[in-house]
mmCIF file of all heavy atoms in Angstrom:
data_model
loop_
_atom_site.group_PDB
_atom_site.id
_atom_site.type_symbol
_atom_site.label_atom_id
_atom_site.label_comp_id
_atom_site.label_asym_id
_atom_site.label_seq_id
_atom_site.Cartn_x
_atom_site.Cartn_y
_atom_site.Cartn_z
ATOM 1 N N ILE A 130 0.878 -1.179 -0.009
ATOM 2 C CA ILE A 130 -0.009 0.038 -0.003
ATOM 3 C C ILE A 130 0.890 1.260 -0.019
ATOM 4 O O ILE A 130 1.789 1.377 0.858
ATOM 5 C CB ILE A 130 -0.941 0.010 1.233
ATOM 6 C CG1 ILE A 130 -1.889 -1.163 1.149
ATOM 7 C CG2 ILE A 130 -1.715 1.311 1.269
ATOM 8 C CD1 ILE A 130 -2.803 -1.279 2.390
ATOM 9 N N PRO A 131 0.729 2.115 -0.924
ATOM 10 C CA PRO A 131 1.570 3.325 -1.009
ATOM 11 C C PRO A 131 1.402 4.153 0.269
ATOM 12 O O PRO A 131 0.363 4.151 0.891
ATOM 13 C CB PRO A 131 1.042 4.093 -2.252
ATOM 14 C CG PRO A 131 0.354 3.062 -3.078
ATOM 15 C CD PRO A 131 -0.217 2.076 -2.104
ATOM 16 N N VAL A 132 2.483 4.831 0.643
ATOM 17 C CA VAL A 132 2.436 5.730 1.826
ATOM 18 C C VAL A 132 2.067 7.119 1.305
ATOM 19 O O VAL A 132 2.943 7.942 0.999
ATOM 20 C CB VAL A 132 3.784 5.753 2.585
ATOM 21 C CG1 VAL A 132 3.676 6.627 3.807
ATOM 22 C CG2 VAL A 132 4.208 4.325 2.953
ATOM 23 N N TRP A 133 0.775 7.408 1.236
ATOM 24 C CA TRP A 133 0.314 8.724 0.772
ATOM 25 C C TRP A 133 0.445 9.769 1.896
ATOM 26 O O TRP A 133 0.189 9.390 3.062
ATOM 27 C CB TRP A 133 -1.128 8.635 0.316
ATOM 28 C CG TRP A 133 -1.338 7.767 -0.893
ATOM 29 C CD1 TRP A 133 -0.803 8.008 -2.162
ATOM 30 C CD2 TRP A 133 -2.132 6.591 -1.026
ATOM 31 N NE1 TRP A 133 -1.275 7.032 -3.011
ATOM 32 C CE2 TRP A 133 -2.041 6.154 -2.352
ATOM 33 C CE3 TRP A 133 -2.920 5.834 -0.076
ATOM 34 C CZ2 TRP A 133 -2.683 5.031 -2.794
ATOM 35 C CZ3 TRP A 133 -3.520 4.718 -0.525
ATOM 36 C CH2 TRP A 133 -3.476 4.311 -1.842
ATOM 37 N N PRO A 134 0.773 10.977 1.597
ATOM 38 C CA PRO A 134 0.762 11.992 2.583
ATOM 39 C C PRO A 134 -0.568 12.174 3.308
ATOM 40 O O PRO A 134 -1.657 12.227 2.613
ATOM 41 C CB PRO A 134 1.140 13.286 1.824
ATOM 42 C CG PRO A 134 1.833 12.792 0.594
ATOM 43 C CD PRO A 134 1.213 11.461 0.259
ATOM 44 N N GLY A 135 -0.569 12.151 4.617
ATOM 45 C CA GLY A 135 -1.827 12.306 5.409
ATOM 46 C C GLY A 135 -2.563 11.022 5.703
ATOM 47 O O GLY A 135 -3.582 11.028 6.402
ATOM 48 N N ILE A 136 -2.020 9.908 5.210
ATOM 49 C CA ILE A 136 -2.732 8.626 5.420
ATOM 50 C C ILE A 136 -2.768 8.309 6.936
ATOM 51 O O ILE A 136 -3.709 7.641 7.395
ATOM 52 C CB ILE A 136 -2.077 7.509 4.666
ATOM 53 C CG1 ILE A 136 -2.979 6.226 4.622
ATOM 54 C CG2 ILE A 136 -0.667 7.156 5.189
ATOM 55 C CD1 ILE A 136 -2.496 5.169 3.713
ATOM 56 N N GLU A 137 -1.770 8.771 7.659
ATOM 57 C CA GLU A 137 -1.700 8.508 9.089
ATOM 58 C C GLU A 137 -2.872 9.200 9.850
ATOM 59 O O GLU A 137 -3.191 8.835 10.979
ATOM 60 C CB GLU A 137 -0.380 8.870 9.685
ATOM 61 C CG GLU A 137 -0.043 10.343 9.649
ATOM 62 C CD GLU A 137 0.497 10.848 8.343
ATOM 63 O OE1 GLU A 137 0.602 9.964 7.404
ATOM 64 O OE2 GLU A 137 0.843 12.008 8.257
ATOM 65 N N ASP A 138 -3.433 10.250 9.257
ATOM 66 C CA ASP A 138 -4.476 11.009 9.900
ATOM 67 C C ASP A 138 -5.876 10.549 9.463
ATOM 68 O O ASP A 138 -6.903 11.111 9.907
ATOM 69 C CB ASP A 138 -4.307 12.503 9.598
ATOM 70 C CG ASP A 138 -3.011 13.080 10.098
ATOM 71 O OD1 ASP A 138 -2.605 12.641 11.221
ATOM 72 O OD2 ASP A 138 -2.403 13.877 9.437
ATOM 73 N N PHE A 139 -5.911 9.590 8.496
ATOM 74 C CA PHE A 139 -7.170 9.126 7.981
ATOM 75 C C PHE A 139 -7.897 8.283 9.068
ATOM 76 O O PHE A 139 -7.292 7.386 9.681
ATOM 77 C CB PHE A 139 -6.968 8.254 6.751
ATOM 78 C CG PHE A 139 -8.239 7.674 6.123
ATOM 79 C CD1 PHE A 139 -9.204 8.450 5.608
ATOM 80 C CD2 PHE A 139 -8.382 6.290 6.175
ATOM 81 C CE1 PHE A 139 -10.352 7.893 5.055
ATOM 82 C CE2 PHE A 139 -9.495 5.699 5.687
ATOM 83 C CZ PHE A 139 -10.488 6.521 5.105
ATOM 84 N N GLY A 140 -9.126 8.585 9.322
ATOM 85 C CA GLY A 140 -9.790 7.948 10.422
ATOM 86 C C GLY A 140 -10.413 6.571 10.122
ATOM 87 O O GLY A 140 -10.839 5.881 11.082
ATOM 88 N N GLY A 141 -10.451 6.218 8.869
ATOM 89 C CA GLY A 141 -11.066 4.953 8.502
ATOM 90 C C GLY A 141 -10.054 3.833 8.316
ATOM 91 O O GLY A 141 -8.817 4.012 8.571
ATOM 92 N N ALA A 142 -10.547 2.715 7.842
ATOM 93 C CA ALA A 142 -9.637 1.509 7.584
ATOM 94 C C ALA A 142 -9.026 1.662 6.254
ATOM 95 O O ALA A 142 -9.665 2.149 5.254
ATOM 96 C CB ALA A 142 -10.420 0.242 7.730
ATOM 97 N N VAL A 143 -7.780 1.269 6.100
ATOM 98 C CA VAL A 143 -7.092 1.199 4.817
ATOM 99 C C VAL A 143 -6.664 -0.217 4.574
ATOM 100 O O VAL A 143 -5.884 -0.802 5.372
ATOM 101 C CB VAL A 143 -5.859 2.122 4.830
ATOM 102 C CG1 VAL A 143 -5.122 2.051 3.407
ATOM 103 C CG2 VAL A 143 -6.204 3.580 5.101
ATOM 104 N N ILE A 144 -7.188 -0.847 3.523
ATOM 105 C CA ILE A 144 -6.882 -2.221 3.243
ATOM 106 C C ILE A 144 -6.368 -2.389 1.840
ATOM 107 O O ILE A 144 -6.674 -1.556 0.952
ATOM 108 C CB ILE A 144 -8.118 -3.113 3.468
ATOM 109 C CG1 ILE A 144 -9.165 -2.910 2.417
ATOM 110 C CG2 ILE A 144 -8.673 -3.016 4.906
ATOM 111 C CD1 ILE A 144 -10.273 -3.958 2.370
ATOM 112 N N HIS A 145 -5.672 -3.455 1.558
ATOM 113 C CA HIS A 145 -5.239 -3.821 0.216
ATOM 114 C C HIS A 145 -6.380 -4.659 -0.406
ATOM 115 O O HIS A 145 -7.147 -5.306 0.289
ATOM 116 C CB HIS A 145 -3.939 -4.604 0.255
ATOM 117 C CG HIS A 145 -3.288 -4.787 -1.074
ATOM 118 N ND1 HIS A 145 -3.652 -5.808 -1.924
ATOM 119 C CD2 HIS A 145 -2.317 -4.068 -1.675
ATOM 120 C CE1 HIS A 145 -2.921 -5.689 -3.016
ATOM 121 N NE2 HIS A 145 -2.107 -4.674 -2.928
ATOM 122 N N ALA A 146 -6.409 -4.592 -1.760
ATOM 123 C CA ALA A 146 -7.475 -5.371 -2.452
ATOM 124 C C ALA A 146 -7.367 -6.850 -2.136
ATOM 125 O O ALA A 146 -8.356 -7.592 -2.180
ATOM 126 C CB ALA A 146 -7.356 -5.157 -3.954
ATOM 127 N N ALA A 147 -6.145 -7.348 -1.825
ATOM 128 C CA ALA A 147 -5.968 -8.782 -1.498
ATOM 129 C C ALA A 147 -6.770 -9.146 -0.256
ATOM 130 O O ALA A 147 -7.076 -10.334 -0.022
ATOM 131 C CB ALA A 147 -4.493 -9.096 -1.304
ATOM 132 N N ASP A 148 -7.054 -8.129 0.599
ATOM 133 C CA ASP A 148 -7.721 -8.405 1.869
ATOM 134 C C ASP A 148 -9.200 -8.037 1.801
ATOM 135 O O ASP A 148 -9.897 -8.056 2.874
ATOM 136 C CB ASP A 148 -7.024 -7.581 3.028
ATOM 137 C CG ASP A 148 -5.600 -7.964 3.173
ATOM 138 O OD1 ASP A 148 -5.310 -9.152 3.168
ATOM 139 O OD2 ASP A 148 -4.728 -7.087 3.265
ATOM 140 N N PHE A 149 -9.712 -7.750 0.641
ATOM 141 C CA PHE A 149 -11.117 -7.464 0.442
ATOM 142 C C PHE A 149 -11.950 -8.656 0.889
ATOM 143 O O PHE A 149 -11.682 -9.802 0.325
ATOM 144 C CB PHE A 149 -11.403 -7.058 -0.951
ATOM 145 C CG PHE A 149 -12.814 -6.706 -1.262
ATOM 146 C CD1 PHE A 149 -13.322 -5.486 -0.805
ATOM 147 C CD2 PHE A 149 -13.654 -7.563 -1.942
ATOM 148 C CE1 PHE A 149 -14.611 -5.101 -1.065
ATOM 149 C CE2 PHE A 149 -14.957 -7.219 -2.241
ATOM 150 C CZ PHE A 149 -15.445 -6.011 -1.821
ATOM 151 N N ALA A 150 -12.870 -8.528 1.733
ATOM 152 C CA ALA A 150 -13.628 -9.629 2.238
ATOM 153 C C ALA A 150 -15.126 -9.569 1.741
ATOM 154 O O ALA A 150 -15.402 -9.186 0.637
ATOM 155 C CB ALA A 150 -13.577 -9.653 3.786
ATOM 156 N N ASP A 151 -16.056 -9.915 2.621
ATOM 157 C CA ASP A 151 -17.472 -9.927 2.257
ATOM 158 C C ASP A 151 -17.932 -8.516 1.895
ATOM 159 O O ASP A 151 -17.819 -7.610 2.720
ATOM 160 C CB ASP A 151 -18.284 -10.444 3.466
ATOM 161 C CG ASP A 151 -19.740 -10.665 3.112
ATOM 162 O OD1 ASP A 151 -20.223 -10.192 2.116
ATOM 163 O OD2 ASP A 151 -20.461 -11.325 3.952
ATOM 164 N N PRO A 152 -18.428 -8.315 0.680
ATOM 165 C CA PRO A 152 -18.846 -6.993 0.290
ATOM 166 C C PRO A 152 -19.931 -6.412 1.205
ATOM 167 O O PRO A 152 -20.005 -5.164 1.329
ATOM 168 C CB PRO A 152 -19.434 -7.205 -1.152
ATOM 169 C CG PRO A 152 -18.747 -8.444 -1.598
ATOM 170 C CD PRO A 152 -18.546 -9.285 -0.416
ATOM 171 N N ARG A 153 -20.721 -7.235 1.843
ATOM 172 C CA ARG A 153 -21.737 -6.723 2.749
ATOM 173 C C ARG A 153 -21.165 -6.018 3.934
ATOM 174 O O ARG A 153 -21.889 -5.235 4.623
ATOM 175 C CB ARG A 153 -22.663 -7.873 3.148
ATOM 176 C CG ARG A 153 -23.470 -8.469 2.008
ATOM 177 C CD ARG A 153 -24.229 -9.705 2.464
ATOM 178 N NE ARG A 153 -23.290 -10.764 2.851
ATOM 179 C CZ ARG A 153 -23.654 -12.018 3.214
ATOM 180 N NH1 ARG A 153 -24.965 -12.330 3.277
ATOM 181 N NH2 ARG A 153 -22.733 -12.882 3.554
ATOM 182 N N SER A 154 -19.926 -6.277 4.290
ATOM 183 C CA SER A 154 -19.336 -5.637 5.425
ATOM 184 C C SER A 154 -19.123 -4.137 5.177
ATOM 185 O O SER A 154 -18.781 -3.357 6.087
ATOM 186 C CB SER A 154 -18.015 -6.292 5.820
ATOM 187 O OG SER A 154 -17.061 -6.103 4.758
ATOM 188 N N TYR A 155 -19.292 -3.723 3.865
ATOM 189 C CA TYR A 155 -19.099 -2.290 3.561
ATOM 190 C C TYR A 155 -20.470 -1.568 3.411
ATOM 191 O O TYR A 155 -20.484 -0.399 3.036
ATOM 192 C CB TYR A 155 -18.307 -2.146 2.245
ATOM 193 C CG TYR A 155 -16.955 -2.773 2.327
ATOM 194 C CD1 TYR A 155 -16.751 -4.109 1.925
ATOM 195 C CD2 TYR A 155 -15.900 -2.142 2.920
ATOM 196 C CE1 TYR A 155 -15.549 -4.697 2.023
ATOM 197 C CE2 TYR A 155 -14.646 -2.710 3.044
ATOM 198 C CZ TYR A 155 -14.440 -4.024 2.597
ATOM 199 O OH TYR A 155 -13.235 -4.613 2.696
ATOM 200 N N ASP A 156 -21.571 -2.238 3.729
ATOM 201 C CA ASP A 156 -22.862 -1.641 3.635
ATOM 202 C C ASP A 156 -22.938 -0.394 4.571
ATOM 203 O O ASP A 156 -22.499 -0.452 5.748
ATOM 204 C CB ASP A 156 -23.969 -2.628 4.032
ATOM 205 C CG ASP A 156 -24.215 -3.694 2.952
ATOM 206 O OD1 ASP A 156 -23.552 -3.568 1.919
ATOM 207 O OD2 ASP A 156 -24.973 -4.620 3.215
ATOM 208 N N GLY A 157 -23.435 0.699 3.998
ATOM 209 C CA GLY A 157 -23.563 1.919 4.809
ATOM 210 C C GLY A 157 -22.331 2.723 4.952
ATOM 211 O O GLY A 157 -22.307 3.760 5.649
ATOM 212 N N LYS A 158 -21.248 2.296 4.355
ATOM 213 C CA LYS A 158 -19.966 2.988 4.461
ATOM 214 C C LYS A 158 -19.583 3.747 3.190
ATOM 215 O O LYS A 158 -20.064 3.407 2.143
ATOM 216 C CB LYS A 158 -18.889 2.033 4.870
ATOM 217 C CG LYS A 158 -19.100 1.324 6.190
ATOM 218 C CD LYS A 158 -17.961 0.372 6.478
ATOM 219 C CE LYS A 158 -18.145 -0.260 7.857
ATOM 220 N NZ LYS A 158 -17.107 -1.241 8.202
ATOM 221 N N ARG A 159 -18.782 4.739 3.391
ATOM 222 C CA ARG A 159 -18.219 5.429 2.219
ATOM 223 C C ARG A 159 -16.859 4.805 1.851
ATOM 224 O O ARG A 159 -15.996 4.689 2.719
ATOM 225 C CB ARG A 159 -18.028 6.942 2.552
ATOM 226 C CG ARG A 159 -19.409 7.643 2.818
ATOM 227 C CD ARG A 159 -19.203 9.092 3.144
ATOM 228 N NE ARG A 159 -18.549 9.242 4.452
ATOM 229 C CZ ARG A 159 -17.916 10.376 4.825
ATOM 230 N NH1 ARG A 159 -17.920 11.423 3.998
ATOM 231 N NH2 ARG A 159 -17.326 10.430 6.010
ATOM 232 N N VAL A 160 -16.690 4.459 0.601
ATOM 233 C CA VAL A 160 -15.560 3.727 0.210
ATOM 234 C C VAL A 160 -14.827 4.445 -1.009
ATOM 235 O O VAL A 160 -15.470 4.806 -1.959
ATOM 236 C CB VAL A 160 -15.934 2.239 -0.275
ATOM 237 C CG1 VAL A 160 -14.673 1.474 -0.614
ATOM 238 C CG2 VAL A 160 -16.763 1.602 0.820
ATOM 239 N N LEU A 161 -13.511 4.547 -0.893
ATOM 240 C CA LEU A 161 -12.710 5.047 -1.980
ATOM 241 C C LEU A 161 -11.859 3.868 -2.453
ATOM 242 O O LEU A 161 -11.084 3.262 -1.679
ATOM 243 C CB LEU A 161 -11.787 6.144 -1.526
ATOM 244 C CG LEU A 161 -10.646 6.545 -2.506
ATOM 245 C CD1 LEU A 161 -11.216 7.135 -3.776
ATOM 246 C CD2 LEU A 161 -9.680 7.520 -1.834
ATOM 247 N N VAL A 162 -11.951 3.516 -3.754
ATOM 248 C CA VAL A 162 -11.116 2.509 -4.367
ATOM 249 C C VAL A 162 -10.083 3.173 -5.185
ATOM 250 O O VAL A 162 -10.370 3.956 -6.074
ATOM 251 C CB VAL A 162 -11.975 1.542 -5.232
ATOM 252 C CG1 VAL A 162 -11.088 0.480 -5.870
ATOM 253 C CG2 VAL A 162 -13.050 0.829 -4.407
#
């Protein structure tokens, strides 16, 4: 996962696509791909 400036201040989870799990676990959430 690239080390983008400000990523340490991001309040949500950051995952790699290899760790993408059940799509339903993202229901109701805002997602940036």
Side-chain angles (χ1 to χ4, degrees):
I130 297 178
V132 182
W133 293 297
I136 194 171
E137 65 277 2
D138 300 321
F139 177 66
V143 180
I144 69 166
H145 192 275
D148 301 314
F149 183 73
D151 187 347
R153 291 173 298 181
S154 64
Y155 301 95
D156 287 356
K158 298 181 179 180
R159 295 179 293 163
V160 183
L161 168 64
V162 179

